[in-house]
């Protein structure tokens, strides 16, 4: 449902970046920033290209605890993908500056038009880094409108989202928008529309039987459940 909504926004000309953070399970803050950067390049290749190159240049220098020199595309450094060494007492100051450079990347990508950054499965990020760095240095500035023309949508369990206030009690979180489960009674309708669009008609008796079996299951369905179910039905349909 989230993806469908965001794609609708994109098709209407809005700047949208969807980031599924499941590949970042247990990762610390820096690989997470790189992953979000890469997704911005994917969703907004023209708008994000220049700002991403500038961020890579500044990141390469800030990781060495040096002040970035004047950026020019011709002399820009690239990101080597290495870790950040916390081996000094002032490491938090340098992390703060790296996040500042990343916020500049997001803001420059947005430009004069609103940019919607949707973060899905944020709870997969390494929890201490999420609370100590990602929330105060990325989410809170966006939520407090300190990053021009950038807005964030957090996708996840409402109870988990409320836990983010522990990291930053001033974090302004709006009321969550609940997404209801699909009811079993919708299985036939969804199956009908799916096969009509896939030109899988007529539907065989074995497929109808499979749909009937799904309807008898005791619980309602999430979007992922339905996607799995429809893929199984399609395989059954040949």
């Amino acid at each position: 449902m989230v993806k469908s909504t965001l794609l609708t926004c994109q098709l209407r000309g809005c700047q949208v970046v969807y980031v599924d953070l499941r590949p970042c399970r247990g990762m610390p803050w820096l690989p997470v920033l790189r992953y979000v950067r890469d997704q911005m390049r994917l969703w907004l290749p023209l708008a994000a290209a220049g700002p991403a190159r500038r961020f890579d240049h500044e990141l390469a220098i800030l990781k060495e605890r040096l002040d970035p020199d004047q950026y020019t595309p011709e002399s820009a450094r690239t990101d080597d993908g290495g870790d950040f060494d916390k081996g000094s007492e002032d490491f938090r100051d340098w992390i703060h500056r790296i996040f500042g450079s990343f916020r500049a990347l997001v803001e420059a990508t947005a430009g004069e038009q609103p940019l919607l950054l949707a973060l899905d499965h944020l709870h997969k990020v390494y929890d201490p880094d999420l609370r100590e760095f990602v929330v105060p240095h990325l989410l809170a500035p966006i939520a407090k409108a300190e990053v021009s023309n950038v807005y964030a949508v957090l996708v996840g369990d409402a109870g988990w989202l409320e836990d983010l206030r522990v990291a930053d009690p001033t974090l302004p979180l709006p009321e969550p928008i609940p997404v209801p489960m699909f009811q079993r009674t919708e299985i036939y309708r969804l199956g009908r529309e799916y096969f009509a669009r896939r030109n899988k008609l007529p539907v065989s008796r074995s497929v109808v039987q499979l749909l009937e079996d799904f309807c008898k299951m005791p619980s309602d369905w999430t979007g992922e459940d339905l996607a799995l179910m429809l893929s199984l039905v399609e395989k059954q349909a040949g």
Side-chain angles (χ1 to χ4, degrees):
M1 185 172 186
V2 172
K3 291 178 182 177
S4 177
T5 303
L6 293 172
L7 286 171
T8 299
C9 292
Q10 186 189 44
L11 291 172
R12 291 179 177 177
C14 300
Q15 294 192 112
V16 174
V17 177
Y18 171 76
V19 184
D20 185 347
L21 288 159
R22 280 179 291 186
C24 296
R25 178 189 296 271
M27 289 185 180
W29 63 273
L30 185 51
V32 171
L33 290 188
R34 288 179 170 129
Y35 185 77
V36 176
R37 172 203 63 194
D38 293 343
Q39 295 304 301
M40 292 184 66
R41 285 171 168 160
L42 176 66
W43 282 76
L44 300 170
L46 296 179
R53 284 195 299 269
R54 185 183 189 109
F55 169 72
D56 288 351
H57 170 76
E58 294 179 353
L59 173 61
I61 299 172
L62 290 170
K63 278 174 52 199
E64 299 171 357
R65 293 172 169 77
L66 298 172
D67 293 327
D69 52 15
Q70 185 66 35
Y71 170 78
T72 62
E74 296 76 20
S75 62
R77 293 180 58 176
T78 58
D79 178 20
D80 63 6
D83 295 332
F84 174 80
D85 183 7
K86 292 184 178 180
S88 67
E89 294 182 357
D90 62 348
F91 74 91
R92 286 185 175 82
D93 295 335
W94 292 102
I95 291 177
H96 175 75
R97 293 186 63 177
I98 291 173
F99 269 92
S101 178
F102 187 81
R103 293 194 302 271
L105 153 65
V106 180
E107 186 173 68
T109 300
E112 299 299 321
Q113 300 296 322
L115 186 155
L116 182 61
L117 178 63
L119 302 176
D120 199 352
H121 298 98
L122 188 62
H123 63 284
K124 298 295 185 182
V125 176
Y126 179 57
D127 191 66
D129 279 12
L130 174 63
R131 295 173 181 271
E132 187 172 359
F133 302 122
V134 177
V135 170
H137 296 315
L138 180 59
L139 297 186
I142 292 176
K144 297 172 184 177
E146 296 172 2
V147 186
S148 298
N149 286 331
V150 177
Y151 304 87
V153 171
L154 305 182
V155 186
D157 179 80
W160 172 82
L161 293 174
E162 190 63 28
D163 288 343
L164 294 178
R165 294 190 195 275
V166 176
D168 185 351
T170 69
L171 182 66
L173 287 174
E175 289 298 316
I177 301 174
V179 178
M181 305 282 263
F182 291 96
Q183 297 180 356
R184 294 190 302 277
T185 54
E186 295 181 275
I187 293 296
Y188 287 118
R189 177 181 66 82
L190 293 167
R192 177 194 70 211
E193 297 298 331
Y194 181 80
F195 283 107
R197 285 163 173 74
R198 298 284 289 175
N199 198 27
K200 296 286 187 178
L201 300 174
V203 177
S204 68
R205 178 58 201 168
S206 62
V207 170
V208 173
Q209 182 61 53
L210 190 56
L211 289 173
E212 291 176 351
D213 292 341
F214 280 120
C215 286
K216 296 174 184 177
M217 291 187 173
S219 62
D220 290 331
W221 298 71
T222 66
E224 290 184 359
D225 293 334
L226 280 170
L228 177 61
M229 181 273 290
L230 290 173
S231 68
L232 292 174
V233 172
E234 183 176 24
K235 288 179 181 179
Q236 184 75 20

